[in-house]
Amino acid sequence: QVQLVESGGGSVQAGGSLKLSCKISGYRFSSCGMAWWRQSPGKERELVSHISADGTTRYSDSVKGRFTISHDDAQKTLYLEMNNLKTEDTAEYYCATDRPPCADIPTIWGRGTRVSVSS
């Protein structure tokens, strides 16, 4: 039984920071890596950042330079440090992963944690 549980969301003012965490149980970091996705009302769920098994990181253009993804295998936790938050970052943030063969859309998801950024 694989379970992902996000935490760390909240309400902040524009320019502020938050650090999200995703606790992993019944699972070890796979070759598919792990990712953070987000979804806001009226928009498709979008990939925010991904970290591969070899540590390579990728970011969407909208968050590049502001967000940092990391993974602590010993703590079985995925992190997303978010700095200089903007109102457009307001969304439900989801931790996600998959098992080989890795799909474009992950099949294992957390329930999400809300981030609200006000101006």
Side-chain angles (χ1 to χ4, degrees):
Q1 182 75 32
V2 178
Q3 185 175 31
L4 306 177
V5 181
E6 302 94 335
S7 63
S11 299
V12 298
Q13 293 185 9
S17 299
L18 283 174
K19 187 172 184 178
L20 307 183
S21 298
C22 173
K23 182 67 177 180
I24 308 159
S25 62
Y27 180 83
R28 290 192 294 180
F29 200 84
S30 79
S31 61
C32 297
M34 297 193 73
W36 286 97
W37 293 65
R38 68 184 181 187
Q39 186 169 28
S40 58
K43 294 185 177 181
E44 295 278 329
R45 187 171 296 186
E46 64 175 344
L47 175 64
V48 176
S49 183
H50 178 270
I51 182 167
S52 67
D54 67 2
T56 302
T57 58
R58 302 198 304 270
Y59 301 91
S60 67
D61 290 339
S62 63
V63 308
K64 192 174 298 181
R66 299 188 296 119
F67 291 10
T68 302
I69 188 171
S70 62
H71 179 260
D72 188 330
D73 190 58
Q75 296 295 320
K76 296 184 178 180
T77 305
L78 178 73
Y79 300 99
L80 183 67
E81 183 177 356
M82 306 183 293
N83 298 310
N84 191 25
L85 284 161
K86 303 176 179 181
T87 55
E88 64 196 69
D89 295 317
T90 296
E92 187 86 3
Y93 283 72
Y94 300 89
C95 173
T97 190
D98 204 356
R99 292 181 178 180
C102 311
D104 291 337
I105 305 297
T107 58
I108 303 172
W109 299 83
R111 293 186 64 187
T113 185
R114 295 183 180 181
V115 172
S116 180
V117 185
S118 60
S119 62

